[in-house]
Amino acid sequence: MQAAVLHRYNSPLEILERPDPKPPPGWILVDVRSCGVCGSDVFLRKGGFNSTLPIVPGHEASGVVRELGEGVAPSVAPPGTPVALYYIDHCGTCRMCSVGRVNMCLSVRRMGVEYDGAFASQVLVPERNVIPVLPSDDPAAVAVLTDAVATPYHGLVRIGKVQPGETVVVFGVGGIGSNAVQLAAHLGCTVIAVSRSDAKLELAERLGAHHVVRGGEGVAERVRALCGPGGPEVVVQSVGSAVVDRQAIDTSGIGSRVILIGTTTEGFELRATDLVWRESSVWGSRGFTPTDIREVLELHRTGAVTTDHLLLHRRPLAEANEALEDLQAGRVLRSVLTFGEGW
Ligand SMILES: [Zn+2]
Ligand SMILES: [Zn+2]
């Protein structure tokens, strides 16, 4: 197998030949077909996740089952089955897993962060983390649906519990925010998209934003001028920036839910009165569950959401470093590493 391996932080991945792995008991060997290159991979390369090195990145992927480890029932996904991969290994029994919040499992381990991921021609996956898909699904679309679309879906539906008719403000129109825009529009909300980039504001309009607003100083006032009395019901913050975190709070109104998805470790100032006087709330939304993946796959099949804007840049594994550079420099929303055509 071929793998792109990170040996040292802030240095390029090395494309290496490795022996084909054997699936341990309870695990499945998958031939990778597509893997999205995500902001989290850039964060990983900088040492943000403090991963033990060497590590193979890659957490939003699709593939075909090659071999089942001992004890895996063939009914899970027999060899040859096209699958989406869920990157969060979870115990299934802890207090978070037992209420279905497996993304927050107390013994969470993530593919491409704590164990080797799908920047490789083959990857090992725990049996509960393969989700069979249809042969008619596009492998590249399946890959990006498992993260770039499922992450904002989780934020809007599970955390934000958005309702039709609500106004949803989306800060950032990148790999996550662009999909928050189209999902909120599909859910029947009035969508206001915020970005500093004209090209991204145009993309937001194409994806169903009802209003677009230029980011930067004074953005809260510009957005609130478009909202009804009391401001927006929901604010989704997808930018990894403490300045934008604060702008999201300033934009919120009476009874607003602010959902933070973009991550930065920098702090921002928050006064109790920001929340108390408005009886508003701030939520963190992290990742997604297999149920979220199944639901966005179905939305894609019915044409309710598109992945076209995420699939403009396809590269072979050998160009994984170029894909990371493109993302870091803001030249692309996403790149997808592909391994041949179709399943
Ligand atoms: Zn990701
Ligand atoms: Zn658990």
Side-chain angles (χ1 to χ4, degrees), residues 38 40 59-60 147:
C38 166
S40 304
H59 58 274
E60 54 177 69
D147 181 11

Side-chain angles (χ1 to χ4, degrees), residues 91-92 94 97 105-106:
C91 74
C94 72
C97 283
C105 173
L106 302 186

Side-chain angles (χ1 to χ4, degrees), residues 8 27 42 113 130 148 156 191 207 248 253 268 278 285 288 325 340:
R8 279 189 309 136
W27 287 59
V42 174
V113 179
V130 300
L156 287 165
V191 183
L207 292 171
F268 66 95
R278 302 167 177 163
S285 180
F288 45 87
E325 295 308 324

Side-chain angles (χ1 to χ4, degrees), residues 253-257 273-281:
I254 306 298
S256 289
R257 291 103 76 199
T273 49
D274 292 334
L275 305 181
V276 173
W277 285 355
R278 302 167 177 163
E279 205 165 89
S280 61
S281 52

